[in-house]
DNA sequence: ATGAAAGCGCTAACAA
DNA sequence: TTGTTAGCGCTTTCAT
């Protein structure tokens, strides 16, 4: 009926009736039923966004990018959280797809067979974000974490460090952290080096974890001259520990994290890290599902992880000191 | 038809046909259409959760509580973000209510008239969380931020501090931060004191902001002996600044934040703060919408903000030192 | 234990 | 420019 036309600004409606309908709707407190609308039109203005965690500082940034880019499109993000569990991811996807969203944005390229099948058959754009080291279901937007790890290794070696340790999460399902470590070790190997020590932890990242792990690894392997952390939060904890313990940074020991979170900008010393391009990844993914950008012909948008020097790594050997 | 019965484990279905349907569904990659289902049944397993921000460390915790408690109920949270804008909140609510969720959980008690009307007429449980200083639409779950501010003032005065400054956000729409300050000033007034200086900032909280503001306020008012921050993140930044600047903490100057985020646990010195009971608030709200708990007769679940002593406040005058 | 049929509140196509 | 009508894919009720 005409009401529908008015509420959706569709078709020709006289200004008079338009006005009438609008005021009637307002006074009645009418809220249209999108369930019926969606059923009738076979279209729904929702974009499913599936991420592993909200407490990880990384994902709010991605969501920010998505949300900013979706804002003027009439599309609405719907967020699902998997807690890094493939089984949960499958459930969440099933739930979300049963609402027939107009697109899916999900973190990572590792998914259960059933999840992949669901997504491939959904008949909607599926953008896998954050990580491009893997096989796309539809389209990938992200950085190579292998490359990020490898590049950091190169910088560290170049700066003259030789006895290098790693501190990171032991979550088999955090594939991006795992790939960074793989790339990192490859990078070291190219220079004829290998990791001297590793320290793993479970659960969320916090300054405290970073401290504890750093103390532990330096107790076990006191002659380490560099520590690579799997994220900035534990890296910052390690940094605080080293400062207190009196290590001279970056000469006696260097440190690097990963992500480039600006929350931590005010630390006593700026932590060396890699910007994971989180906001940009969110934006690009959203632009694709919104149809603002055309799908890339090779189904891939690869961004470059960006090295952030900070103060916890020496200048490369042979370079001018500033 | 029978298929529907199987997929929802309803009614009597023979094990044989049941099996048949299930395998057929799996091989076809069938995903039921909840839009149609929702329209037919007039029920939908979604709970709308509306919060101001995701980058604020507070809300992921609340969401964690909600999600944990909803997990075994078949209900799914759908998250909407308002960026502290009442207009956006109205839009988000409109969108969400048009999907006829089975409940709404939203942060704060300040909403536009239209928002209140929508929610009141939705005919579903509406739980306003975080803040109980205001008029409920339906039911409130949270802490009194006025009380939180007032109690912190009492502790500070009791510990013998007298020249007190405040560092906080200047967001007119962050009502909880505003109320804490109101309560704080009331608390000071009861002791015959008033704030000696204030420093406001805009935008997100970070360590760096905390540093800068602290330097600024201490430059303007060098004889302050206590700083109350509107959250832990800027409090931590201030703490780092004071440590570096050589202030003796907590004797020369004391510091306190708000929230009790454990992300920051590993700071060189533990920041005095107030636990805002975020996870518990999320849990209780979720239990209400899920029907696990009965609605409280007085439409209010008031939790107590919990003082966390930390190391940045002196022991109360006259108490035994430990 | 299974099938048949009505109808949820809209949209889209068509008629007036 | 406005009104009419037939579904959208399920759930619910009733009949078998």
């Amino acid at each position: 009926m005409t009401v529908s036309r008015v509420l959706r600004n569709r078709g020709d409606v006289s200004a008079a009736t338009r006005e009438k309908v609008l005021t009637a709707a307002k006074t009645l407190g009418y809220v249209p039923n999108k369930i019926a609308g969606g059923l009738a039109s076979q279209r729904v203005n929702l974009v499913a966004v599936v991420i592993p965690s909200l407490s990880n500082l990384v994902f709010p940034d991605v969501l920010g990018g998505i949300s900013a880019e979706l804002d003027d499109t009439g599309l609405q993000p719907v967020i699902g959280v998997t807690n890094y569990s493939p089984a949960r991811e499958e459930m969440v996807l099933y739930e979300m797809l049963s609402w027939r969203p107009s697109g899916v944005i999900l973190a990572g390229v590792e998914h259960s067979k059933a999840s992949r099948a669901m997504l491939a058959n959904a008949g909607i754009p599926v953008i896998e974000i954050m990580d491009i080291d893997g096989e796309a279901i539809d389209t990938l937007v992200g950085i190579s974490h292998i490359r990020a790890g490898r590049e950091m290794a190169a910088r560290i070696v170049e700066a003259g460090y030789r006895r290098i340790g790693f501190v990171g999460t032991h979550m088999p399902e955090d594939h991006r952290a795992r790939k960074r470590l793989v790339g990192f070790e490859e990078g070291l190997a190219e220079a004829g080096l290998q990791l001297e020590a590793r320290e793993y932890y479970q659960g969320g990242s916090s300054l405290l974890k970073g401290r504890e792990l750093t103390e532990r690894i330096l107790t076990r392997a006191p002659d380490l001259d560099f520590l690579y952390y799997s994220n900035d939060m534990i890296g910052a904890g390690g940094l605080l520990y080293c400062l207190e313990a009196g290590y001279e940074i970056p000469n006696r020991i260097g440190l690097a994290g990963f992500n480039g979170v600006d929350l931590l900008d005010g630390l006593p010393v700026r932590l060396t890290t890699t910007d994971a391009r989180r906001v940009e990844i969110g934006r690009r993914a959203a632009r694709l599902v919104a149809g603002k950008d055309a799908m890339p012909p090779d189904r891939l948008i690869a961004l470059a992880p960006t090295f952030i020097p900070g103060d916890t790594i020496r200048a490369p050997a042979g370079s001018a000191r500033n």
Side-chain angles (χ1 to χ4, degrees), chain A:
Chain A
M1 87 148 134
T2 319
V3 174
S4 168
R5 282 189 265 254
V6 173
L7 266 41
R8 292 178 304 142
N9 310 310
R10 283 283 182 102
D12 304 301
V13 189
S14 74
T17 38
R18 192 187 156 72
E19 217 40 53
K20 245 192 319 198
V21 173
L22 249 34
T23 54
K26 179 140 284 182
T27 56
L28 292 177
Y30 173 77
V31 177
N33 186 329
K34 291 229 177 194
I35 305 180
L39 182 58
S41 66
Q42 306 287 33
R43 283 179 297 99
V44 137
N45 69 337
L46 301 176
V47 176
V49 180
V50 177
I51 56 178
S53 155
L54 278 173
S55 38
N56 190 327
L57 293 174
V58 171
F59 297 104
D61 284 338
V62 179
L63 291 175
I66 292 174
S67 162
E69 211 62 65
L70 248 34
D71 229 23
D72 55 351
T73 65
L75 290 172
Q76 263 234 326
V78 178
I79 300 158
V81 178
T82 69
N83 297 321
Y84 289 98
S85 148
R88 247 193 100 78
E89 180 180 76
E90 204 173 306
M91 282 181 46
V92 168
L93 280 172
Y94 186 80
E95 281 292 319
M96 295 200 139
L97 289 179
S98 72
W99 287 100
R100 304 293 188 264
S102 21
V104 179
I105 298 175
L106 78 169
V109 293
E110 283 81 11
H111 314 289
S112 76
K113 205 159 179 179
S115 295
R116 293 183 68 91
M118 267 191 279
L119 290 166
N121 296 329
I124 53 178
V126 175
I127 319 291
E128 293 165 274
I129 59 170
M130 315 293 290
D131 182 1
I132 60 170
D133 297 316
E135 195 71 27
I137 296 172
D138 175 359
T139 299
L140 300 179
V141 176
I143 65 171
S144 164
H145 287 258
I146 295 180
R147 172 174 161 194
R150 184 189 287 268
E151 290 186 355
M152 185 56 87
R155 301 273 187 177
I156 291 169
V157 171
E158 185 189 22
Y161 298 99
R162 289 297 175 268
R163 308 186 63 81
I164 298 159
F166 173 81
V167 177
T169 175
H170 182 62
M171 282 203 279
E173 298 299 344
D174 188 344
H175 300 283
R176 291 176 289 287
R178 179 175 54 72
K179 288 172 185 172
R180 286 197 297 279
L181 178 54
V182 167
F184 190 70
E185 295 200 73
E186 285 176 9
L188 293 184
E190 279 173 21
L193 296 175
Q194 57 180 37
L195 279 180
E196 303 266 322
R198 308 144 186 268
E199 197 69 48
Y200 291 102
Y201 69 102
Q202 312 239 2
S205 309
S206 70
L207 293 177
L208 189 58
K209 280 263 177 58
R211 250 176 210 281
E212 293 170 350
L213 293 160
T214 304
E215 173 161 25
R216 201 174 309 158
I217 198 171
L218 288 176
T219 305
R220 275 204 300 124
D223 53 352
L224 292 177
D225 64 3
F226 203 96
L227 292 173
Y228 184 41
Y229 293 85
S230 69
N231 65 63
D232 285 348
M233 202 70 199
I234 56 167
L239 173 54
L240 291 174
Y241 172 81
C242 289
L243 288 172
E244 278 171 40
Y247 286 90
E248 192 205 345
I249 298 172
N251 284 318
R252 165 62 185 84
I253 194 162
L255 307 167
F258 179 84
N259 270 333
V261 299
D262 45 13
L263 212 64
L264 296 172
D265 271 356
L267 288 171
V269 171
R270 284 175 310 150
L271 182 67
T272 298
T273 188
T274 304
D275 178 3
R277 313 291 301 276
R278 304 179 300 284
V279 178
E280 170 101 18
I281 287 173
R283 294 197 101 97
R284 299 297 291 271
R287 293 185 66 84
L288 290 178
V289 295
K292 284 178 171 181
D293 290 348
M295 289 288 181
D298 51 355
R299 335 200 107 203
L300 173 65
I301 295 181
L303 303 178
T306 312
F307 178 71
I308 300 178
D311 306 318
T312 61
I313 190 171
R314 281 196 294 261
S319 84
R321 303 296 305 243
N322 57 341

